[in-house]
Amino acid sequence: MNRISVSFMGLLCVLSGCTSHAPKPTEHTADARVSLGQTPRRFSIAASDARVALDAFSRQAHLQLLFDARELKGRTTQAVDGKMEPLYALNDILKDSGLRFAWVDEQTLSISPEPAHP
């Protein structure tokens, strides 16, 4: 299944209120997350519109991202350039964007707005 289909299915799931069918955390899935998130990769992503930057990150990190495009509208991200672990790159990209990420399964992260502070 390609990334666009996964993102669309993730959006449908979010909009319909369904729960994730991601595997329960186990030693194996935790190890896979650590491995995927810590294998240094080369990133070259310009500061830009959040959707553009996150699509580039997904391709370069070899990870799938789920997000609601409406929640990204009007948000911009930071540039990253160099060889680094994907999770460090994603943290740098999302800095000051009002967005955060969370693991869904071994190869998928969800992107969502940070909670509003009272």
CSV table of all heavy atoms in Angstrom, one decimal, residues 81-113:
chain,number,residue,atom,x,y,z
A,81,ASP,N,19.3,19.5,7.6
A,81,ASP,CA,20.2,19.2,6.6
A,81,ASP,C,21.4,18.5,7.2
A,81,ASP,O,22.0,19.0,8.1
A,81,ASP,CB,20.7,20.4,5.8
A,81,ASP,CG,21.5,20.1,4.6
A,81,ASP,OD1,21.2,19.0,3.9
A,81,ASP,OD2,22.4,20.8,4.2
A,82,GLY,N,21.6,17.3,6.8
A,82,GLY,CA,22.7,16.5,7.3
A,82,GLY,C,22.3,15.1,7.7
A,82,GLY,O,21.2,14.7,7.5
A,83,LYS,N,23.3,14.3,8.1
A,83,LYS,CA,23.1,12.9,8.5
A,83,LYS,C,22.7,12.9,10.0
A,83,LYS,O,23.5,13.4,10.8
A,83,LYS,CB,24.3,12.1,8.2
A,83,LYS,CG,24.0,10.6,8.4
A,83,LYS,CD,25.2,9.8,7.9
A,83,LYS,CE,24.9,8.3,8.0
A,83,LYS,NZ,26.0,7.5,7.4
A,84,MET,N,21.6,12.3,10.3
A,84,MET,CA,21.1,12.3,11.7
A,84,MET,C,20.0,11.2,11.8
A,84,MET,O,19.5,10.7,10.9
A,84,MET,CB,20.6,13.6,12.2
A,84,MET,CG,19.3,14.1,11.4
A,84,MET,SD,18.9,15.8,11.8
A,84,MET,CE,20.0,16.7,10.8
A,85,GLU,N,19.7,10.9,13.1
A,85,GLU,CA,18.7,9.9,13.4
A,85,GLU,C,17.3,10.5,13.0
A,85,GLU,O,17.1,11.7,13.3
A,85,GLU,CB,18.7,9.5,14.8
A,85,GLU,CG,20.0,8.8,15.2
A,85,GLU,CD,20.1,8.6,16.7
A,85,GLU,OE1,19.2,8.9,17.5
A,85,GLU,OE2,21.2,8.1,17.1
A,86,PRO,N,16.4,9.8,12.4
A,86,PRO,CA,15.1,10.3,12.0
A,86,PRO,C,14.4,11.0,13.1
A,86,PRO,O,13.7,12.1,12.8
A,86,PRO,CB,14.4,9.1,11.5
A,86,PRO,CG,15.5,8.2,11.0
A,86,PRO,CD,16.6,8.4,11.9
A,87,LEU,N,14.4,10.5,14.3
A,87,LEU,CA,13.6,11.2,15.3
A,87,LEU,C,14.1,12.5,15.7
A,87,LEU,O,13.4,13.5,16.0
A,87,LEU,CB,13.4,10.3,16.5
A,87,LEU,CG,12.7,9.0,16.3
A,87,LEU,CD1,12.5,8.2,17.5
A,87,LEU,CD2,11.3,9.2,15.6
A,88,TYR,N,15.5,12.7,15.6
A,88,TYR,CA,16.1,14.0,15.9
A,88,TYR,C,15.7,14.9,14.7
A,88,TYR,O,15.4,16.1,15.0
A,88,TYR,CB,17.6,13.9,16.0
A,88,TYR,CG,18.1,13.3,17.3
A,88,TYR,CD1,18.8,12.1,17.3
A,88,TYR,CD2,17.8,13.9,18.5
A,88,TYR,CE1,19.2,11.6,18.5
A,88,TYR,CE2,18.2,13.4,19.7
A,88,TYR,CZ,18.9,12.2,19.7
A,88,TYR,OH,19.4,11.7,20.9
A,89,ALA,N,15.7,14.4,13.5
A,89,ALA,CA,15.3,15.2,12.4
A,89,ALA,C,13.9,15.7,12.5
A,89,ALA,O,13.6,16.9,12.3
A,89,ALA,CB,15.5,14.5,11.1
A,90,LEU,N,13.0,14.8,12.9
A,90,LEU,CA,11.6,15.2,13.0
A,90,LEU,C,11.4,16.2,14.1
A,90,LEU,O,10.6,17.1,14.0
A,90,LEU,CB,10.7,13.9,13.2
A,90,LEU,CG,9.2,14.1,13.2
A,90,LEU,CD1,8.8,14.8,11.9
A,90,LEU,CD2,8.5,12.8,13.3
A,91,ASN,N,12.1,16.0,15.2
A,91,ASN,CA,12.0,17.0,16.3
A,91,ASN,C,12.4,18.4,15.8
A,91,ASN,O,11.8,19.4,16.1
A,91,ASN,CB,12.9,16.6,17.5
A,91,ASN,CG,12.1,15.7,18.4
A,91,ASN,OD1,10.9,15.8,18.7
A,91,ASN,ND2,12.9,14.7,19.0
A,92,ASP,N,13.5,18.4,15.0
A,92,ASP,CA,14.0,19.7,14.5
A,92,ASP,C,13.0,20.3,13.5
A,92,ASP,O,12.7,21.5,13.5
A,92,ASP,CB,15.3,19.5,13.8
A,92,ASP,CG,16.5,19.3,14.8
A,92,ASP,OD1,16.3,19.4,16.0
A,92,ASP,OD2,17.6,18.9,14.4
A,93,ILE,N,12.4,19.5,12.7
A,93,ILE,CA,11.5,19.9,11.7
A,93,ILE,C,10.2,20.5,12.4
A,93,ILE,O,9.7,21.6,12.0
A,93,ILE,CB,11.0,18.8,10.7
A,93,ILE,CG1,12.2,18.4,9.8
A,93,ILE,CG2,9.8,19.1,9.9
A,93,ILE,CD1,12.0,17.1,9.1
A,94,LEU,N,9.7,19.9,13.4
A,94,LEU,CA,8.5,20.3,14.1
A,94,LEU,C,8.7,21.4,15.1
A,94,LEU,O,7.7,22.0,15.6
A,94,LEU,CB,7.8,19.1,14.7
A,94,LEU,CG,7.4,18.0,13.8
A,94,LEU,CD1,6.7,16.9,14.6
A,94,LEU,CD2,6.4,18.5,12.7
A,95,LYS,N,9.9,21.8,15.4
A,95,LYS,CA,10.2,22.8,16.4
A,95,LYS,C,9.4,24.1,16.1
A,95,LYS,O,9.5,24.6,14.9
A,95,LYS,CB,11.7,23.1,16.5
A,95,LYS,CG,12.1,24.1,17.5
A,95,LYS,CD,13.5,24.3,17.6
A,95,LYS,CE,13.9,25.3,18.7
A,95,LYS,NZ,15.3,25.7,18.7
A,96,ASP,N,8.7,24.6,17.0
A,96,ASP,CA,7.9,25.8,16.9
A,96,ASP,C,6.8,25.8,15.9
A,96,ASP,O,6.3,26.8,15.5
A,96,ASP,CB,8.8,27.0,16.6
A,96,ASP,CG,9.9,27.3,17.7
A,96,ASP,OD1,9.5,27.1,18.9
A,96,ASP,OD2,11.0,27.7,17.4
A,97,SER,N,6.4,24.6,15.5
A,97,SER,CA,5.3,24.5,14.5
A,97,SER,C,4.0,24.3,15.2
A,97,SER,O,2.9,24.3,14.5
A,97,SER,CB,5.6,23.3,13.6
A,97,SER,OG,5.4,22.0,14.3
A,98,GLY,N,4.0,23.9,16.5
A,98,GLY,CA,2.7,23.6,17.1
A,98,GLY,C,2.3,22.2,16.9
A,98,GLY,O,1.1,21.8,17.2
A,99,LEU,N,3.2,21.3,16.3
A,99,LEU,CA,2.8,20.0,16.0
A,99,LEU,C,3.7,19.0,16.8
A,99,LEU,O,4.8,19.4,17.2
A,99,LEU,CB,3.1,19.7,14.5
A,99,LEU,CG,2.2,20.5,13.5
A,99,LEU,CD1,2.7,20.3,12.1
A,99,LEU,CD2,0.7,20.1,13.6
A,100,ARG,N,3.2,17.8,17.0
A,100,ARG,CA,3.9,16.8,17.7
A,100,ARG,C,3.7,15.4,17.0
A,100,ARG,O,2.9,15.3,16.1
A,100,ARG,CB,3.5,16.6,19.1
A,100,ARG,CG,2.0,16.2,19.2
A,100,ARG,CD,1.6,16.1,20.7
A,100,ARG,NE,0.2,15.7,20.7
A,100,ARG,CZ,-0.4,15.3,21.8
A,100,ARG,NH1,0.3,15.3,23.0
A,100,ARG,NH2,-1.7,15.0,21.8
A,101,PHE,N,4.5,14.4,17.4
A,101,PHE,CA,4.4,13.1,16.7
A,101,PHE,C,4.3,12.1,17.8
A,101,PHE,O,4.7,12.2,19.0
A,101,PHE,CB,5.5,12.8,15.8
A,101,PHE,CG,6.9,12.6,16.4
A,101,PHE,CD1,7.3,11.4,16.9
A,101,PHE,CD2,7.7,13.7,16.6
A,101,PHE,CE1,8.5,11.2,17.5
A,101,PHE,CE2,9.0,13.5,17.2
A,101,PHE,CZ,9.4,12.2,17.7
A,102,ALA,N,3.7,10.9,17.4
A,102,ALA,CA,3.6,9.7,18.3
A,102,ALA,C,3.6,8.5,17.4
A,102,ALA,O,3.2,8.5,16.2
A,102,ALA,CB,2.2,9.8,19.0
A,103,TRP,N,4.2,7.4,18.0
A,103,TRP,CA,4.3,6.2,17.2
A,103,TRP,C,2.9,5.5,17.1
A,103,TRP,O,2.1,5.6,18.0
A,103,TRP,CB,5.2,5.1,18.0
A,103,TRP,CG,6.6,5.4,17.8
A,103,TRP,CD1,7.4,6.0,18.8
A,103,TRP,CD2,7.4,5.2,16.7
A,103,TRP,NE1,8.7,6.1,18.3
A,103,TRP,CE2,8.7,5.6,17.0
A,103,TRP,CE3,7.2,4.6,15.4
A,103,TRP,CZ2,9.8,5.5,16.1
A,103,TRP,CZ3,8.3,4.5,14.6
A,103,TRP,CH2,9.5,4.9,14.9
A,104,VAL,N,2.6,5.0,15.9
A,104,VAL,CA,1.3,4.2,15.7
A,104,VAL,C,1.7,2.7,15.6
A,104,VAL,O,1.1,1.9,16.3
A,104,VAL,CB,0.7,4.7,14.4
A,104,VAL,CG1,-0.5,3.8,14.0
A,104,VAL,CG2,0.3,6.1,14.4
A,105,ASP,N,2.7,2.4,14.9
A,105,ASP,CA,3.2,1.0,14.8
A,105,ASP,C,4.7,1.1,14.5
A,105,ASP,O,5.3,2.2,14.5
A,105,ASP,CB,2.4,0.1,13.9
A,105,ASP,CG,2.5,0.6,12.4
A,105,ASP,OD1,3.5,1.2,12.0
A,105,ASP,OD2,1.5,0.3,11.7
A,106,GLU,N,5.3,0.0,14.1
A,106,GLU,CA,6.8,0.0,13.9
A,106,GLU,C,7.3,0.9,12.8
A,106,GLU,O,8.5,1.3,12.9
A,106,GLU,CB,7.2,-1.5,13.6
A,106,GLU,CG,7.0,-2.5,14.7
A,106,GLU,CD,5.6,-3.1,14.6
A,106,GLU,OE1,4.8,-2.8,13.7
A,106,GLU,OE2,5.3,-3.9,15.5
A,107,GLN,N,6.5,1.2,11.8
A,107,GLN,CA,7.0,2.1,10.7
A,107,GLN,C,6.1,3.3,10.5
A,107,GLN,O,6.3,4.0,9.5
A,107,GLN,CB,7.0,1.2,9.4
A,107,GLN,CG,8.0,0.1,9.5
A,107,GLN,CD,8.1,-0.6,8.2
A,107,GLN,OE1,7.1,-0.7,7.4
A,107,GLN,NE2,9.2,-1.2,7.8
A,108,THR,N,5.2,3.6,11.4
A,108,THR,CA,4.3,4.7,11.2
A,108,THR,C,4.2,5.6,12.4
A,108,THR,O,4.1,5.2,13.6
A,108,THR,CB,2.9,4.1,11.0
A,108,THR,OG1,2.9,3.1,10.0
A,108,THR,CG2,1.9,5.2,10.5
A,109,LEU,N,4.2,6.9,12.1
A,109,LEU,CA,4.1,8.0,13.1
A,109,LEU,C,2.9,8.8,12.8
A,109,LEU,O,2.6,9.0,11.6
A,109,LEU,CB,5.3,8.9,13.1
A,109,LEU,CG,6.6,8.2,13.5
A,109,LEU,CD1,7.8,9.1,13.0
A,109,LEU,CD2,6.7,8.1,15.0
A,110,SER,N,2.2,9.3,13.8
A,110,SER,CA,1.1,10.2,13.6
A,110,SER,C,1.5,11.6,13.9
A,110,SER,O,2.3,11.8,14.9
A,110,SER,CB,-0.2,9.8,14.4
A,110,SER,OG,0.1,10.0,15.8
A,111,ILE,N,1.1,12.6,13.2
A,111,ILE,CA,1.4,14.0,13.4
A,111,ILE,C,0.1,14.6,13.8
A,111,ILE,O,-0.9,14.5,13.2
A,111,ILE,CB,2.0,14.6,12.2
A,111,ILE,CG1,3.1,13.9,11.6
A,111,ILE,CG2,2.3,16.1,12.4
A,111,ILE,CD1,4.4,13.8,12.5
A,112,SER,N,0.1,15.4,14.9
A,112,SER,CA,-1.1,16.1,15.4
A,112,SER,C,-0.7,17.4,16.1
A,112,SER,O,0.5,17.6,16.5
A,112,SER,CB,-1.9,15.2,16.4
A,112,SER,OG,-1.1,14.9,17.5
A,113,PRO,N,-1.7,18.3,16.2
A,113,PRO,CA,-1.4,19.6,16.9
A,113,PRO,C,-1.0,19.3,18.4
A,113,PRO,O,-1.6,18.4,19.0
A,113,PRO,CB,-2.7,20.3,16.8
A,113,PRO,CG,-3.4,19.7,15.7
A,113,PRO,CD,-3.0,18.3,15.7
